[in-house]
Coordinates of all heavy atoms in Angstrom, one line a residue:
M1 N 47.3 57.2 -28.3 CA 47.4 55.9 -27.6 C 47.6 54.8 -28.6 O 47.1 54.8 -29.7 CB 46.1 55.7 -26.8 CG 46.3 54.7 -25.7 SD 45.3 55.0 -24.3 CE 43.7 54.5 -24.7
N2 N 48.4 53.8 -28.2 CA 48.7 52.7 -29.1 C 47.5 51.8 -29.3 O 46.7 51.6 -28.4 CB 49.8 51.9 -28.4 CG 50.5 51.0 -29.3 OD1 50.1 50.8 -30.5 ND2 51.5 50.3 -28.9
N3 N 47.3 51.3 -30.6 CA 46.2 50.5 -30.9 C 46.3 49.1 -30.1 O 45.2 48.5 -29.8 CB 46.2 50.1 -32.4 CG 45.8 51.4 -33.2 OD1 45.2 52.3 -32.7 ND2 46.1 51.4 -34.5
T4 N 47.4 48.7 -29.8 CA 47.6 47.4 -29.0 C 47.0 47.6 -27.6 O 46.3 46.7 -27.1 CB 49.0 47.0 -29.0 OG1 49.6 47.0 -30.3 CG2 49.2 45.6 -28.4
I5 N 47.3 48.7 -27.0 CA 46.7 49.0 -25.7 C 45.2 49.0 -25.7 O 44.6 48.5 -24.8 CB 47.3 50.3 -25.1 CG1 48.8 50.1 -24.9 CG2 46.7 50.6 -23.8 CD1 49.5 51.4 -24.5
V6 N 44.7 49.7 -26.7 CA 43.2 49.7 -26.8 C 42.6 48.3 -27.0 O 41.6 48.0 -26.4 CB 42.8 50.7 -28.0 CG1 41.3 50.6 -28.3 CG2 43.3 52.1 -27.8
G7 N 43.3 47.5 -27.8 CA 42.8 46.1 -28.0 C 42.8 45.3 -26.7 O 41.9 44.5 -26.4
V8 N 43.9 45.4 -26.0 CA 44.1 44.7 -24.7 C 43.0 45.1 -23.7 O 42.4 44.3 -23.1 CB 45.5 44.9 -24.2 CG1 45.6 44.4 -22.8 CG2 46.5 44.2 -25.1
V9 N 42.8 46.4 -23.6 CA 41.8 46.9 -22.7 C 40.4 46.5 -23.1 O 39.6 46.0 -22.2 CB 41.9 48.5 -22.6 CG1 40.7 49.0 -21.8 CG2 43.2 48.9 -21.9
A10 N 40.1 46.5 -24.4 CA 38.8 46.0 -24.9 C 38.6 44.5 -24.6 O 37.5 44.1 -24.1 CB 38.7 46.3 -26.4
L11 N 39.6 43.7 -24.8 CA 39.5 42.3 -24.5 C 39.3 42.0 -23.0 O 38.5 41.2 -22.6 CB 40.7 41.5 -25.0 CG 40.7 41.1 -26.5 CD1 42.1 40.5 -26.8 CD2 39.6 40.2 -26.8
A12 N 40.0 42.8 -22.2 CA 39.9 42.6 -20.8 C 38.5 43.0 -20.3 O 37.9 42.4 -19.4 CB 41.0 43.5 -20.0
I13 N 38.0 44.1 -20.8 CA 36.6 44.6 -20.4 C 35.6 43.5 -20.8 O 34.7 43.2 -20.1 CB 36.3 46.0 -21.0 CG1 37.2 47.0 -20.3 CG2 34.9 46.3 -20.9 CD1 37.1 48.4 -20.9
M14 N 35.7 43.0 -22.0 CA 34.8 42.0 -22.5 C 34.9 40.7 -21.6 O 33.9 40.1 -21.3 CB 35.1 41.6 -24.0 CG 34.6 42.6 -25.0 SD 35.1 42.3 -26.7 CE 35.0 40.6 -26.9
G15 N 36.1 40.4 -21.2 CA 36.3 39.2 -20.4 C 35.6 39.4 -19.0 O 35.0 38.5 -18.5
I16 N 35.9 40.5 -18.4 CA 35.3 40.8 -17.1 C 33.8 40.8 -17.2 O 33.1 40.3 -16.3 CB 35.9 42.1 -16.5 CG1 37.3 41.9 -16.2 CG2 35.1 42.6 -15.3 CD1 38.1 43.2 -15.9
G17 N 33.2 41.4 -18.3 CA 31.8 41.5 -18.4 C 31.2 40.1 -18.6 O 30.1 39.8 -18.1
M18 N 31.9 39.2 -19.4 CA 31.4 37.9 -19.6 C 31.4 37.1 -18.2 O 30.5 36.3 -18.0 CB 32.2 37.1 -20.6 CG 32.1 37.7 -22.0 SD 30.6 37.3 -22.7 CE 30.8 35.7 -23.2
I19 N 32.4 37.3 -17.4 CA 32.5 36.6 -16.1 C 31.4 37.1 -15.2 O 30.7 36.2 -14.6 CB 33.9 36.8 -15.5 CG1 34.9 36.0 -16.3 CG2 33.9 36.3 -14.0 CD1 36.3 36.3 -15.9
I20 N 31.1 38.4 -15.2 CA 30.0 38.9 -14.4 C 28.7 38.3 -14.9 O 27.8 37.9 -14.0 CB 30.0 40.4 -14.4 CG1 31.3 40.9 -13.6 CG2 28.7 41.0 -13.8 CD1 31.5 42.4 -13.7
A21 N 28.4 38.3 -16.2 CA 27.2 37.8 -16.7 C 27.0 36.3 -16.4 O 25.9 35.8 -16.1 CB 27.1 38.0 -18.2
G22 N 28.1 35.5 -16.4 CA 28.1 34.1 -16.1 C 27.8 33.9 -14.6 O 27.0 33.0 -14.3
I23 N 28.3 34.7 -13.8 CA 28.0 34.6 -12.4 C 26.5 34.9 -12.1 O 25.8 34.2 -11.3 CB 28.9 35.5 -11.5 CG1 30.4 35.0 -11.6 CG2 28.4 35.6 -10.1 CD1 31.4 35.9 -11.0
K24 N 26.0 35.9 -12.8 CA 24.6 36.2 -12.6 C 23.7 35.1 -13.1 O 22.7 34.8 -12.5 CB 24.2 37.5 -13.4 CG 24.9 38.7 -12.9 CD 24.2 39.3 -11.7 CE 24.8 40.6 -11.3 NZ 24.3 41.1 -10.1
N25 N 24.1 34.5 -14.2 CA 23.3 33.3 -14.7 C 23.3 32.1 -13.8 O 22.3 31.5 -13.6 CB 23.8 32.9 -16.1 CG 23.3 33.8 -17.2 OD1 22.7 34.8 -16.9 ND2 23.6 33.4 -18.4
T26 N 24.4 31.8 -13.2 CA 24.5 30.7 -12.3 C 23.7 31.0 -11.0 O 23.1 30.1 -10.4 CB 25.9 30.3 -11.9 OG1 26.6 31.5 -11.5 CG2 26.6 29.8 -13.2
Q27 N 23.7 32.3 -10.6 CA 22.9 32.6 -9.4 C 21.4 32.5 -9.7 O 20.6 32.0 -8.9 CB 23.2 34.1 -9.0 CG 24.5 34.2 -8.3 CD 24.9 35.7 -8.0 OE1 24.2 36.6 -8.4 NE2 25.9 35.9 -7.2
E28 N 21.0 32.9 -10.9 CA 19.6 32.8 -11.3 C 19.2 31.3 -11.4 O 18.1 31.0 -11.0 CB 19.3 33.5 -12.6 CG 19.3 35.0 -12.5 CD 19.2 35.7 -13.9 OE1 18.7 35.0 -14.9 OE2 19.5 36.8 -14.0
A29 N 20.1 30.5 -11.9 CA 19.8 29.1 -12.0 C 19.6 28.5 -10.6 O 18.7 27.6 -10.4 CB 20.9 28.4 -12.8
A30 N 20.4 28.9 -9.7 CA 20.3 28.4 -8.3 C 19.0 28.8 -7.7 O 18.3 28.0 -7.0 CB 21.5 28.8 -7.5
Q31 N 18.6 30.0 -7.9 CA 17.3 30.5 -7.4 C 16.1 29.8 -8.1 O 15.1 29.5 -7.4 CB 17.1 32.0 -7.6 CG 18.0 32.8 -6.8 CD 18.0 34.3 -7.1 OE1 17.3 34.7 -8.0 NE2 18.7 35.1 -6.3
Q32 N 16.2 29.5 -9.3 CA 15.1 28.8 -10.0 C 15.0 27.4 -9.6 O 13.9 26.8 -9.6 CB 15.3 28.9 -11.6 CG 15.2 30.2 -12.1 CD 14.2 30.3 -13.2 OE1 13.8 29.3 -13.7 NE2 13.8 31.5 -13.6
E33 N 16.1 26.7 -9.2 CA 16.0 25.4 -8.7 C 15.3 25.2 -7.4 O 14.8 24.2 -7.1 CB 17.4 24.8 -8.7 CG 18.0 24.5 -10.0 CD 19.4 23.9 -9.9 OE1 20.0 23.8 -8.8 OE2 20.0 23.6 -11.0
K34 N 15.3 26.3 -6.6 CA 14.7 26.3 -5.3 C 13.2 26.4 -5.5 O 12.4 26.0 -4.6 CB 15.2 27.5 -4.5 CG 16.6 27.3 -4.0 CD 17.1 28.5 -3.2 CE 18.5 28.4 -2.9 NZ 19.0 29.6 -2.2
L35 N 12.7 26.9 -6.6 CA 11.2 27.1 -6.8 C 10.6 25.8 -7.1 O 11.2 24.9 -7.7 CB 11.0 28.1 -7.9 CG 11.4 29.5 -7.7 CD1 11.2 30.4 -8.9 CD2 10.6 30.1 -6.5
P36 N 9.3 25.6 -6.8 CA 8.6 24.4 -7.3 C 8.5 24.4 -8.8 O 8.6 25.5 -9.4 CB 7.2 24.5 -6.7 CG 7.2 25.7 -5.8 CD 8.5 26.4 -6.0
P37 N 8.3 23.3 -9.4 CA 8.4 23.2 -10.9 C 7.3 24.0 -11.6 O 7.5 24.5 -12.7 CB 8.1 21.7 -11.2 CG 8.5 21.0 -10.0 CD 8.3 21.9 -8.8
K38 N 6.2 24.3 -10.9 CA 5.1 25.0 -11.6 C 5.4 26.5 -11.7 O 4.9 27.2 -12.5 CB 3.8 24.8 -10.8 CG 3.2 23.4 -11.0 CD 1.9 23.3 -10.3 CE 1.4 21.9 -10.5 NZ 0.1 21.7 -9.8
E39 N 6.2 27.0 -10.8 CA 6.5 28.4 -10.7 C 7.8 28.8 -11.5 O 8.1 30.0 -11.5 CB 6.6 28.9 -9.3 CG 5.3 28.8 -8.5 CD 5.5 29.3 -7.1 OE1 6.5 29.9 -6.7 OE2 4.5 29.0 -6.3
R40 N 8.5 27.9 -12.0 CA 9.7 28.2 -12.8 C 9.4 28.9 -14.1 O 8.4 28.6 -14.7 CB 10.5 26.9 -13.1 CG 11.1 26.3 -11.9 CD 11.9 25.1 -12.2 NE 12.4 24.4 -11.0 CZ 12.9 23.3 -11.0 NH1 13.1 22.6 -12.1 NH2 13.3 22.8 -9.8
K41 N 10.2 29.8 -14.4 CA 10.1 30.6 -15.7 C 10.7 29.8 -16.8 O 11.7 29.2 -16.7 CB 10.7 31.9 -15.6 CG 10.1 32.8 -14.5 CD 10.9 34.1 -14.5 CE 10.4 35.0 -13.4 NZ 11.1 36.2 -13.2
K42 N 10.0 29.8 -17.9 CA 10.5 29.1 -19.1 C 10.9 30.2 -20.1 O 10.2 31.2 -20.3 CB 9.5 28.2 -19.7 CG 10.0 27.3 -20.8 CD 9.1 26.3 -21.2 CE 9.7 25.3 -22.2 NZ 8.8 24.2 -22.5
K43 N 12.1 30.1 -20.7 CA 12.5 31.1 -21.6 C 11.7 31.0 -22.9 O 11.4 29.9 -23.4 CB 14.0 30.8 -22.0 CG 14.9 31.1 -20.8 CD 16.3 30.8 -21.1 CE 16.9 31.7 -22.2 NZ 18.3 31.4 -22.5
E44 N 11.4 32.1 -23.5 CA 10.6 32.1 -24.7 C 11.6 31.9 -25.9 O 12.7 32.5 -25.9 CB 9.9 33.5 -24.9 CG 8.9 33.8 -23.8 CD 8.2 35.1 -24.0 OE1 8.4 35.7 -25.1 OE2 7.5 35.5 -23.1
P45 N 11.1 31.1 -26.9 CA 12.0 30.9 -28.0 C 12.1 32.1 -28.9 O 11.2 33.0 -28.8 CB 11.3 29.7 -28.8 CG 9.9 29.8 -28.3 CD 9.9 30.3 -26.9
P46 N 13.1 32.3 -29.6 CA 13.3 33.5 -30.5 C 12.2 33.5 -31.5 O 11.6 32.5 -31.9 CB 14.7 33.4 -31.1 CG 15.0 31.9 -31.0 CD 14.3 31.4 -29.8
K47 N 11.9 34.7 -32.0 CA 10.8 34.9 -33.0 C 11.2 34.2 -34.4 O 10.4 33.7 -35.1 CB 10.5 36.3 -33.3 CG 10.0 37.0 -32.0 CD 9.7 38.5 -32.2 CE 9.2 39.1 -30.9 NZ 9.1 40.5 -31.0
S48 N 12.5 34.2 -34.7 CA 12.9 33.5 -35.9 C 14.3 32.9 -35.6 O 14.9 33.2 -34.7 CB 13.0 34.5 -37.1 OG 14.1 35.4 -36.9
Q49 N 14.6 32.0 -36.5 CA 15.9 31.3 -36.2 C 17.1 32.2 -36.4 O 18.1 32.0 -35.8 CB 16.0 30.1 -37.2 CG 15.0 29.0 -36.9 CD 15.2 28.3 -35.6 OE1 16.2 28.5 -34.9 NE2 14.3 27.5 -35.2
T50 N 17.0 33.2 -37.3 CA 18.2 34.0 -37.6 C 18.3 35.2 -36.6 O 19.3 35.9 -36.6 CB 18.1 34.6 -39.0 OG1 16.9 35.3 -39.2 CG2 18.1 33.4 -40.0
Q51 N 17.2 35.5 -35.9 CA 17.3 36.7 -35.0 C 18.1 36.4 -33.8 O 17.9 35.5 -33.0 CB 15.8 37.0 -34.5 CG 15.8 38.2 -33.6 CD 14.4 38.5 -33.2 OE1 13.5 37.7 -33.4 NE2 14.2 39.6 -32.5
G52 N 19.1 37.2 -33.6 CA 20.0 37.2 -32.4 C 21.0 36.1 -32.4 O 21.6 35.8 -31.4
W53 N 21.3 35.4 -33.5 CA 22.3 34.3 -33.5 C 23.7 34.9 -33.2 O 24.4 34.2 -32.6 CB 22.2 33.5 -34.8 CG 22.6 34.3 -36.0 CD1 21.9 35.0 -36.8 CD2 24.0 34.4 -36.5 NE1 22.6 35.6 -37.8 CE2 23.9 35.2 -37.7 CE3 25.2 33.8 -36.1 CZ2 25.0 35.5 -38.4 CZ3 26.3 34.1 -36.9 CH2 26.2 35.0 -38.0
L54 N 24.0 36.0 -33.7 CA 25.3 36.6 -33.5 C 25.5 37.0 -32.1 O 26.6 36.7 -31.5 CB 25.5 37.8 -34.4 CG 26.9 38.4 -34.4 CD1 28.0 37.4 -34.8 CD2 27.0 39.6 -35.3
S55 N 24.5 37.6 -31.5 CA 24.7 38.0 -30.1 C 24.7 36.8 -29.2 O 25.4 36.8 -28.2 CB 23.5 38.9 -29.7 OG 22.3 38.3 -29.7
N56 N 23.9 35.8 -29.5 CA 24.0 34.5 -28.7 C 25.3 33.9 -28.8 O 25.9 33.4 -27.8 CB 22.9 33.6 -29.1 CG 21.5 33.9 -28.5 OD1 21.5 34.5 -27.4 ND2 20.5 33.5 -29.1
F57 N 25.9 33.8 -30.0 CA 27.2 33.3 -30.2 C 28.3 34.1 -29.5 O 29.1 33.5 -28.8 CB 27.5 33.2 -31.7 CG 28.9 32.7 -31.9 CD1 29.3 31.4 -31.8 CD2 29.9 33.6 -32.3 CE1 30.6 31.0 -32.0 CE2 31.2 33.2 -32.6 CZ 31.6 31.9 -32.4
A58 N 28.2 35.4 -29.6 CA 29.2 36.2 -29.0 C 29.2 36.2 -27.5 O 30.2 36.3 -26.8 CB 29.0 37.7 -29.5
F59 N 28.0 36.1 -26.9 CA 27.8 36.1 -25.5 C 27.7 34.7 -24.9 O 27.4 34.6 -23.7 CB 26.7 37.0 -25.0 CG 26.9 38.4 -25.4 CD1 26.0 39.1 -26.2 CD2 28.0 39.1 -25.0 CE1 26.2 40.4 -26.5 CE2 28.2 40.4 -25.3 CZ 27.3 41.0 -26.1
G60 N 28.0 33.7 -25.6 CA 28.1 32.3 -25.1 C 26.8 31.7 -24.7 O 26.7 31.2 -23.6
G61 N 25.8 31.6 -25.6 CA 24.6 30.9 -25.3 C 23.7 30.7 -26.5 O 23.9 31.3 -27.5
T62 N 22.7 29.9 -26.3 CA 21.7 29.7 -27.3 C 20.3 29.8 -26.6 O 20.2 29.8 -25.4 CB 21.8 28.3 -28.0 OG1 21.6 27.3 -27.0 CG2 23.1 28.1 -28.7
S63 N 19.3 29.8 -27.4 CA 18.0 30.1 -26.8 C 17.5 28.8 -26.0 O 16.6 28.9 -25.1 CB 17.0 30.4 -27.9 OG 16.9 29.4 -28.8
D64 N 18.0 27.7 -26.3 CA 17.5 26.5 -25.7 C 18.4 26.0 -24.5 O 18.2 24.9 -24.0 CB 17.3 25.3 -26.7 CG 18.5 25.0 -27.4 OD1 19.5 25.8 -27.4 OD2 18.5 23.9 -28.1
M65 N 19.4 26.7 -24.2 CA 20.3 26.4 -23.1 C 19.7 26.7 -21.7 O 19.0 27.6 -21.6 CB 21.6 27.2 -23.2 CG 22.8 26.5 -23.8 SD 24.2 27.6 -23.6 CE 25.4 26.6 -24.4
D66 N 20.0 25.8 -20.8 CA 19.5 26.2 -19.4 C 20.5 27.2 -18.8 O 21.6 27.4 -19.3 CB 19.4 24.9 -18.5 CG 20.8 24.2 -18.4 OD1 21.6 24.3 -19.3 OD2 21.0 23.6 -17.3
L67 N 20.1 27.9 -17.8 CA 20.8 29.0 -17.2 C 22.2 28.6 -16.6 O 23.1 29.3 -16.8 CB 20.0 29.7 -16.1 CG 18.8 30.5 -16.6 CD1 18.0 31.1 -15.5 CD2 19.3 31.7 -17.5
R68 N 22.2 27.4 -16.0 CA 23.5 27.0 -15.4 C 24.6 26.8 -16.5 O 25.7 27.2 -16.3 CB 23.3 25.8 -14.6 CG 24.6 25.3 -13.9 CD 24.3 24.1 -13.0 NE 23.3 24.4 -11.9 CZ 23.6 25.1 -10.8 NH1 24.8 25.6 -10.6 NH2 22.6 25.3 -9.9
R69 N 24.2 26.1 -17.5 CA 25.2 25.8 -18.6 C 25.6 27.1 -19.3 O 26.7 27.3 -19.7 CB 24.6 24.8 -19.5 CG 25.6 24.5 -20.6 CD 25.1 23.3 -21.4 NE 26.1 23.1 -22.5 CZ 26.2 22.1 -23.2 NH1 25.5 21.0 -22.9 NH2 27.1 22.0 -24.1
M70 N 24.6 28.0 -19.5 CA 24.9 29.3 -20.2 C 25.9 30.1 -19.3 O 26.8 30.7 -19.8 CB 23.6 30.1 -20.4 CG 23.9 31.3 -21.3 SD 22.4 32.3 -21.6 CE 21.4 31.1 -22.4
G71 N 25.7 30.1 -18.0 CA 26.6 30.8 -17.1 C 28.0 30.2 -17.1 O 28.9 31.0 -17.1
Q72 N 28.1 28.9 -17.1 CA 29.4 28.3 -17.2 C 30.1 28.6 -18.5 O 31.3 28.8 -18.5 CB 29.3 26.8 -17.0 CG 28.9 26.3 -15.6 CD 28.5 24.9 -15.5 OE1 28.4 24.2 -16.5 NE2 28.4 24.4 -14.3
T73 N 29.3 28.6 -19.6 CA 29.9 28.9 -20.9 C 30.4 30.4 -20.9 O 31.5 30.7 -21.4 CB 28.9 28.7 -22.0 OG1 28.4 27.4 -21.9 CG2 29.5 29.0 -23.4
R74 N 29.6 31.3 -20.3 CA 30.0 32.7 -20.3 C 31.3 32.9 -19.4 O 32.1 33.7 -19.8 CB 28.9 33.5 -19.8 CG 27.8 33.7 -20.9 CD 26.7 34.6 -20.5 NE 25.8 34.7 -21.6 CZ 24.6 35.3 -21.5 NH1 24.2 35.8 -20.4 NH2 23.8 35.4 -22.6
I75 N 31.3 32.2 -18.3 CA 32.5 32.3 -17.5 C 33.8 31.8 -18.2 O 34.8 32.4 -18.2 CB 32.3 31.6 -16.1 CG1 31.3 32.3 -15.3 CG2 33.6 31.4 -15.4 CD1 30.8 31.6 -14.1
N76 N 33.6 30.7 -18.9 CA 34.8 30.1 -19.7 C 35.2 31.1 -20.8 O 36.4 31.3 -21.0 CB 34.4 28.8 -20.2 CG 34.3 27.7 -19.2 OD1 34.8 27.9 -18.1 ND2 33.6 26.6 -19.5
L77 N 34.2 31.7 -21.5 CA 34.6 32.7 -22.5 C 35.3 33.9 -21.9 O 36.2 34.5 -22.5 CB 33.4 33.1 -23.3 CG 32.9 32.1 -24.4 CD1 31.6 32.5 -25.0 CD2 34.0 32.0 -25.5
G78 N 34.8 34.3 -20.8 CA 35.4 35.5 -20.1 C 36.8 35.2 -19.7 O 37.7 36.1 -19.9
I79 N 37.1 34.1 -19.2 CA 38.4 33.7 -18.8 C 39.3 33.6 -20.0 O 40.5 34.0 -20.0 CB 38.4 32.4 -18.0 CG1 37.8 32.6 -16.7 CG2 39.8 31.8 -17.9 CD1 37.5 31.3 -15.9
F80 N 38.8 33.1 -21.1 CA 39.5 33.0 -22.4 C 39.9 34.4 -22.9 O 41.1 34.6 -23.3 CB 38.7 32.3 -23.4 CG 39.3 32.2 -24.8 CD1 40.4 31.4 -25.0 CD2 38.9 33.0 -25.8 CE1 41.0 31.3 -26.3 CE2 39.5 33.0 -27.1 CZ 40.5 32.1 -27.3
F81 N 39.0 35.3 -22.8 CA 39.3 36.7 -23.3 C 40.3 37.3 -22.4 O 41.2 38.0 -22.9 CB 38.0 37.6 -23.3 CG 37.1 37.3 -24.4 CD1 35.7 37.5 -24.3 CD2 37.5 36.9 -25.6 CE1 34.8 37.3 -25.3 CE2 36.7 36.6 -26.7 CZ 35.3 36.9 -26.5
L82 N 40.3 37.1 -21.1 CA 41.3 37.7 -20.2 C 42.6 37.1 -20.4 O 43.6 37.8 -20.4 CB 40.9 37.4 -18.7 CG 39.8 38.4 -18.2 CD1 39.4 38.0 -16.8 CD2 40.2 39.8 -18.2
V83 N 42.7 35.8 -20.7 CA 44.0 35.1 -20.9 C 44.6 35.7 -22.2 O 45.8 36.0 -22.3 CB 43.8 33.6 -21.0 CG1 45.1 32.9 -21.5 CG2 43.5 33.1 -19.6
I84 N 43.8 35.8 -23.3 CA 44.3 36.4 -24.5 C 44.7 37.8 -24.3 O 45.8 38.2 -24.9 CB 43.2 36.3 -25.6 CG1 42.8 34.8 -26.0 CG2 43.6 37.1 -26.9 CD1 44.0 34.0 -26.5
A85 N 44.0 38.6 -23.6 CA 44.4 40.0 -23.3 C 45.8 40.0 -22.6 O 46.6 40.8 -22.9 CB 43.3 40.7 -22.5
L86 N 45.9 39.1 -21.6 CA 47.2 39.1 -20.9 C 48.4 38.6 -21.8 O 49.5 39.2 -21.7 CB 47.1 38.2 -19.6 CG 46.2 38.7 -18.5 CD1 46.0 37.6 -17.4 CD2 46.8 40.0 -17.9
I87 N 48.1 37.7 -22.6 CA 49.2 37.2 -23.5 C 49.6 38.3 -24.5 O 50.8 38.6 -24.7 CB 48.7 35.9 -24.3 CG1 48.6 34.8 -23.3 CG2 49.7 35.6 -25.5 CD1 48.0 33.5 -23.9
V88 N 48.6 39.0 -25.1 CA 48.9 40.1 -26.0 C 49.6 41.2 -25.3 O 50.5 41.8 -25.8 CB 47.6 40.6 -26.7 CG1 47.8 41.9 -27.4 CG2 47.0 39.5 -27.6
A89 N 49.2 41.5 -24.1 CA 49.8 42.6 -23.3 C 51.3 42.2 -23.0 O 52.2 43.1 -23.1 CB 49.1 42.8 -22.0
Y90 N 51.5 41.0 -22.7 CA 52.9 40.5 -22.4 C 53.8 40.6 -23.6 O 54.9 41.1 -23.6 CB 52.9 39.1 -21.8 CG 54.3 38.6 -21.6 CD1 55.1 39.1 -20.5 CD2 54.8 37.6 -22.4 CE1 56.3 38.6 -20.3 CE2 56.1 37.2 -22.2 CZ 56.9 37.7 -21.2 OH 58.1 37.2 -21.0
V91 N 53.2 40.1 -24.7 CA 54.1 40.0 -25.9 C 54.3 41.3 -26.6 O 55.5 41.7 -26.9 CB 53.4 39.0 -27.0 CG1 54.1 39.1 -28.3 CG2 53.4 37.6 -26.4
F92 N 53.3 42.2 -26.7 CA 53.5 43.4 -27.4 C 53.7 44.7 -26.6 O 54.3 45.6 -27.0 CB 52.2 43.7 -28.3 CG 52.1 42.7 -29.4 CD1 51.1 41.8 -29.4 CD2 52.9 42.8 -30.5 CE1 50.9 40.9 -30.4 CE2 52.8 41.9 -31.5 CZ 51.8 41.0 -31.5
I93 N 53.3 44.7 -25.3 CA 53.5 45.9 -24.5 C 54.6 45.8 -23.6 O 55.5 46.7 -23.5 CB 52.2 46.2 -23.8 CG1 51.1 46.5 -24.8 CG2 52.3 47.4 -22.9 CD1 49.7 46.6 -24.2
I94 N 54.7 44.7 -22.8 CA 55.7 44.6 -21.8 C 57.1 44.3 -22.4 O 58.1 44.8 -21.9 CB 55.3 43.5 -20.8 CG1 54.0 43.9 -20.0 CG2 56.4 43.2 -19.8 CD1 53.5 42.9 -19.1
R95 N 57.2 43.4 -23.4 CA 58.5 43.1 -24.0 C 59.0 44.2 -24.8 O 58.8 45.0 -25.4 CB 58.3 41.9 -24.8 CG 58.5 40.7 -24.0 CD 58.6 39.5 -24.9 NE 59.3 38.5 -24.2 CZ 59.8 37.4 -24.7 NH1 59.6 37.2 -26.0 NH2 60.4 36.5 -24.0

């Protein structure tokens, strides 16, 4: 199999996964807004500043972001990955 095809498929899968994760985050944020302020869950800060920085960067979020903004960021990154995958597929595979 061609390496370009593998790269396009990987980018497309990452993009779809990011969009699904973003939708889940925005749904959780909507559910949390319905709860009274005392029952809302607060995210725990990371154990150290260097722990998980790469995964947070790769998946579009930080530890102090609210869920709605993190969901929107993940959706935008997913769309970006899908657009790049489509451009690469058009330029290298279809042409």
Side-chain angles (χ1 to χ4, degrees):
M1 202 148 74
N2 194 355
N3 289 339
T4 309
I5 296 173
V6 173
V8 167
V9 170
L11 277 174
I13 290 172
M14 284 174 36
I16 292 170
M18 293 289 282
I19 291 172
I20 291 171
I23 291 171
K24 295 282 184 183
N25 280 9
T26 54
Q27 288 175 349
E28 288 177 17
Q31 289 175 355
Q32 291 235 347
E33 287 178 359
K34 292 178 183 177
L35 294 175
K38 291 183 180 179
E39 295 180 12
R40 290 184 185 170
K41 296 178 184 176
K42 190 170 186 178
K43 292 174 68 177
E44 295 180 12
K47 295 177 183 175
S48 68
Q49 294 291 352
T50 59
Q51 181 182 9
W53 66 271
L54 183 61
S55 64
N56 279 334
F57 172 75
F59 295 124
T62 61
S63 61
D64 59 344
M65 262 188 177
D66 61 330
L67 287 175
R68 181 173 304 279
R69 182 169 174 158
M70 189 181 299
Q72 290 172 350
T73 305
R74 287 182 176 172
I75 290 172
N76 290 340
L77 280 173
I79 291 171
F80 175 75
F81 284 151
L82 283 175
V83 168
I84 295 298
L86 290 174
I87 290 172
V88 170
Y90 176 73
V91 170
F92 290 108
I93 297 172
I94 296 174
R95 274 188 155 193

